[in-house]
């Protein structure tokens, strides 16, 4: 079962990539080409826009996968917005941190 959010910690980049690939495979099996995928880094991140994407109803897909890399570099205001979002996450979106 896909959850609303995943927090991947630690230095093992290969294991993290494999875990993300497994989630992506599960989503592709369930939604096929009907999956939107977004990837961000803190230096080019507009968290209000990311939250808007997560919460919006998509006309072109059934599910959204959002990956935010290097979360240790997130600004406090972005972390606060993300924490607020996870209080009531969108049912058609998974966010991997």
């Amino acid at each position: 079962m896909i959850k609303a959010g995943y927090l991947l910690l630690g230095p093992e980049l290969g294991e993290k990539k494999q875990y993300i690939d497994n989630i992506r495979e599960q989503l592709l099996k369930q939604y096929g080409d009907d999956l939107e995928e977004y990837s961000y880094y803190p230096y080019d991140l507009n968290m209000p826009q990311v939250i808007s994407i997560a919460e919006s109803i998509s006309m072109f897909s059934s599910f959204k996968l959002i990956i935010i890399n290097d979360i240790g570099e997130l600004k406090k205001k972005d972390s606060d917005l993300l924490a607020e979002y996870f209080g009531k996450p969108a049912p058609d979106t998974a966010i991997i941190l």
Side-chain angles (χ1 to χ4, degrees):
M1 178 178 173
I2 299 298
K3 298 178 170 73
Y6 298 85
L7 178 61
L8 306 181
L9 300 173
E12 299 299 325
L13 296 178
E15 288 180 27
K16 289 179 192 178
K17 183 185 177 319
Q18 183 61 48
Y19 194 84
I20 291 169
D21 289 346
N22 288 340
I23 292 170
R24 185 180 295 113
E25 283 179 33
Q26 289 177 28
L27 290 170
L28 286 171
K29 283 180 187 175
Q30 188 169 354
Y31 298 101
D33 290 337
D34 214 16
L35 173 67
E36 279 181 57
E37 188 171 339
Y38 302 87
S39 183
Y40 299 97
Y41 285 87
Y43 56 81
D44 68 355
L45 180 70
N46 178 337
M47 189 59 78
Q49 180 182 11
V50 172
I51 300 300
S52 177
I53 289 169
E55 293 177 334
S56 68
I57 297 171
S58 178
M59 295 174 50
F60 304 107
S61 69
S62 299
F63 202 89
K64 295 173 284 246
L65 175 61
I66 299 173
I67 301 167
I68 302 175
N69 299 284
D70 298 334
I71 60 153
E73 303 298 320
L74 280 181
K75 296 174 185 168
K76 180 170 177 6
K77 67 179 182 171
D78 290 339
S79 297
D80 292 344
L81 285 172
L82 198 54
E84 184 178 324
Y85 166 79
F86 279 121
K88 189 175 180 197
D92 65 343
T93 302
I95 298 179
I96 301 174
L97 307 169

